[in-house]
Amino acid sequence: MHSAYRKQRNTIAATYSSSVKADVFMARTRHYESALDAALKPKNILESVYDALVESVNDHLPLLHRYIYRAAEASAGAREQGLVSTIFTSRSFPRSRRSIPTTLR
């Protein structure tokens, strides 16, 4: 999985950079204090709520990493046995919202 990302890392970096620049441009054009402010204010989300969410996610990253590692192991085992892996398709996750890095404040 990582080799596929590694092959595309420059494309991914360029795409992300363009997205960040577009977010900053739109925020400045619309006279927001930051790109984060532009993302949160129209939805009436307090910056403190966003900060708490980011802090909570960061505090629990080891759990997410452990889950991904175990899911990858289980998926590899299922492939070796000729079974179809449903590790990542058996759950439905809401579409992720566009995130604004804290460095853009």
Side-chain angles (χ1 to χ4, degrees), residues 4-101:
Y5 287 115
R6 205 172 293 123
K7 289 177 185 176
Q8 299 298 323
R9 68 179 171 217
N10 291 334
T11 301
I12 293 168
T15 302
Y16 180 67
S17 176
S18 296
S19 177
V20 170
K21 288 177 183 179
D23 290 342
V24 170
F25 173 80
M26 294 305 287
R28 288 180 180 160
T29 302
R30 295 181 177 153
H31 306 290
Y32 284 102
E33 293 178 24
S34 66
L36 177 62
D37 193 41
L40 298 178
K41 274 202 177 163
K43 297 174 180 119
N44 295 320
I45 300 172
L46 299 174
E47 192 170 332
S48 61
V49 173
Y50 173 82
D51 290 339
L53 174 64
V54 170
E55 183 179 343
S56 179
V57 168
N58 285 331
D59 289 346
H60 295 93
L61 275 177
L63 293 173
L64 175 63
H65 293 162
R66 188 173 69 200
Y67 169 79
I68 291 172
Y69 177 78
R70 288 182 179 171
E73 282 183 328
S75 179
R79 279 194 302 266
E80 287 173 6
Q81 296 173 14
L83 303 173
V84 176
S85 174
T86 58
I87 299 293
F88 294 106
T89 59
S90 62
R91 294 185 177 191
S92 62
F93 296 96
R95 292 184 112 180
S96 62
R97 298 195 186 267
R98 202 170 202 188
S99 63
I100 307 297

